[in-house]
Amino acid sequence: MNNTAMTFVTRLTLQSGDRAALDGIVSDIKSTAERKGAALKGPHSHPPKKISVPQPCRLHTDDDRHFDSWEYTVFTRELEIHGHDNLARNIASQNFPDSVHIEAEVEQIHGAGRGN
C-alpha cells in the first residue's frame, strides 16, 4: 500500500510561558515540514491566557495569610500535519525545552470507497 494513500491528520498543540521559545520551535517545525513536502496548516495562535495562582504563606489550613498571587501568561500554537505520519511522529517525539509543552493527537481519515 502506498503511504500517500493513507490519510492521517496529526494535530500538534504547543504551549509555553516563553513566547520566543514557543515561536522558535513552531518555526523549526514549519521549516522541517516544508523541507519534507508535508501539507501543514497553521500555526494558529490562540489568545494568550493569563493564569493567577494563589500562594499561601503557610501550609496550615487555619492560616489565611497569602503572598501575592503568582501570575503568568500561557501562549498556545496549533499546527496540523496532513499525511506524513512518520514526520509527525518524529516531530512529536523530539526533546523540547522544559518550558514548552506539546500534545499530539492523531486521527486517521477514511477515504470514500475504502473499507477497513
Side-chain angles (χ1 to χ4, degrees), residues 11 14 16 24 28 41 47 69 88 93 101 115:
R11 287 178 191 86
L14 296 98
S16 181
D28 290 346
K41 289 188 178 179
S69 292
S93 65
H101 174 75

Side-chain angles (χ1 to χ4, degrees), residues 7-114:
T7 306
F8 288 92
V9 176
T10 304
R11 287 178 191 86
L12 301 174
T13 303
L14 296 98
Q15 295 182 315
S16 181
D18 183 346
R19 190 162 110 183
L22 178 67
D23 289 341
I25 288 172
V26 167
S27 178
D28 290 346
I29 291 171
K30 189 174 176 182
S31 65
T32 299
E34 288 171 354
R35 221 176 29 254
K36 300 289 184 178
L40 181 72
K41 289 188 178 179
H44 305 290
S45 298
H46 293 257
K49 186 175 181 180
K50 301 264 185 201
I51 307 292
S52 179
V53 181
Q55 300 186 91
C57 291
R58 295 183 179 248
L59 298 177
H60 300 288
T61 57
D62 60 350
D63 190 342
D64 291 335
R65 294 179 296 161
H66 285 81
F67 293 114
D68 289 339
S69 292
W70 175 43
E71 296 182 356
Y72 62 99
T73 303
V74 175
F75 301 94
T76 303
R77 306 288 183 266
E78 286 187 2
L79 301 124
E80 287 185 4
I81 299 172
H82 293 254
H84 291 269
D85 54 311
N86 286 333
L87 171 65
R89 189 178 309 114
N90 289 341
I91 289 171
S93 65
Q94 288 179 13
N95 288 324
F96 293 100
D98 289 340
S99 65
V100 177
H101 174 75
I102 183 169
E103 290 182 14
E105 178 184 331
V106 180
E107 181 181 356
Q108 183 175 4
I109 309 295
H110 297 283
R114 290 183 53 196

